[in-house]
Amino acid sequence: MAIRKIRVEGDEVLRKKSKEVKEVTQKTLELIEDMFDTMYESYGVGLAAPQIGILKRIVVIDVTGEDPMVLINPEIIERSGEQTGEEGCLSLPGKSAIVTRPNHVVCKAFDANMEPITIEAEGLLARAVCHEVDHLDGILYRDIADGPVHDVED
Ligand code: NI
């Protein structure tokens, strides 16, 4: 268990494409545990591996504080509806912007045992899944925001 350093915008690792995970090793499990620790420590609802400098297709999400979810090699296979709201990111600390996302997504992935899973997500969870999957392709919410990125206090 360890808190890892969160990379912030400007770090080129955030703009790279992450690689598919072929197998889950003990090291992978430690990485996942560290990702959860790092996310909770910063009061985030999601974290993608590149945000701690690891270019692997792994994300962790917990939008309620009670529903930890790990998605390995996630792939969004359905998107529907629309939601528009403020979105933030641990890699853009103290900032947010209005971002429009699908309100409903279906996502295929693998769990920590490399068993295939399919999740359906709505609202905030759908937003988090889209946001974290974007990180795996080097996309930050700034790229798709409806308006300027601003200080949260504004
Ligand atoms: Ni983010």
Side-chain angles (χ1 to χ4, degrees), residues 57-59 61 69-74 107 109-110 117 119 129:
R57 301 188 80 81
I58 303 174
V59 310
I61 295 174
M69 180 184 292
V70 54
L71 301 174
I72 297 174
N73 301 337
C107 182
F110 294 87
I117 54 170
I119 63 147
V129 169

Side-chain angles (χ1 to χ4, degrees), residues 51 88-91 131-132 135:
Q51 290 184 275
C89 176
L90 294 176
S91 293
H131 177 115
E132 300 311 331
H135 272 300

Side-chain angles (χ1 to χ4, degrees), residues 16-145:
K16 295 194 168 153
K17 198 169 162 68
S18 292
K19 292 196 171 63
E20 270 202 16
V21 175
K22 303 282 188 216
E23 60 167 349
V24 171
T25 62
Q26 186 56 39
K27 208 178 154 195
T28 317
L29 294 174
E30 283 165 20
L31 168 64
I32 292 167
E33 196 176 323
D34 287 355
M35 286 174 66
F36 276 114
D37 292 341
T38 304
M39 176 183 79
Y40 290 130
E41 170 81 5
S42 298
Y43 304 102
V45 298
L47 189 78
Q51 290 184 275
I52 55 168
I54 308 285
L55 288 169
K56 290 183 188 228
R57 301 188 80 81
I58 303 174
V59 310
V60 297
I61 295 174
D62 188 347
V63 296
T64 67
E66 293 173 355
D67 298 296
M69 180 184 292
V70 54
L71 301 174
I72 297 174
N73 301 337
E75 190 186 340
I76 296 170
I77 55 170
E78 274 181 54
R79 296 171 170 84
S80 59
E82 200 174 275
Q83 57 176 318
T84 297
E86 290 285 341
E87 190 166 313
C89 176
L90 294 176
S91 293
L92 283 76
K95 306 279 186 191
S96 74
I98 303 281
V99 182
T100 298
R101 299 277 192 187
N103 194 49
H104 181 266
V105 297
V106 178
C107 182
K108 282 198 317 184
F110 294 87
D111 67 12
N113 301 310
M114 280 309 261
E115 297 290 338
I117 54 170
T118 302
I119 63 147
E120 281 199 59
E122 278 196 19
L124 179 58
L125 182 57
R127 178 180 290 282
V129 169
C130 293
H131 177 115
E132 300 311 331
V133 170
D134 276 355
H135 272 300
L136 304 180
D137 293 317
I139 297 164
L140 298 176
Y141 75 79
R142 179 192 291 285
D143 309 344
I144 57 159

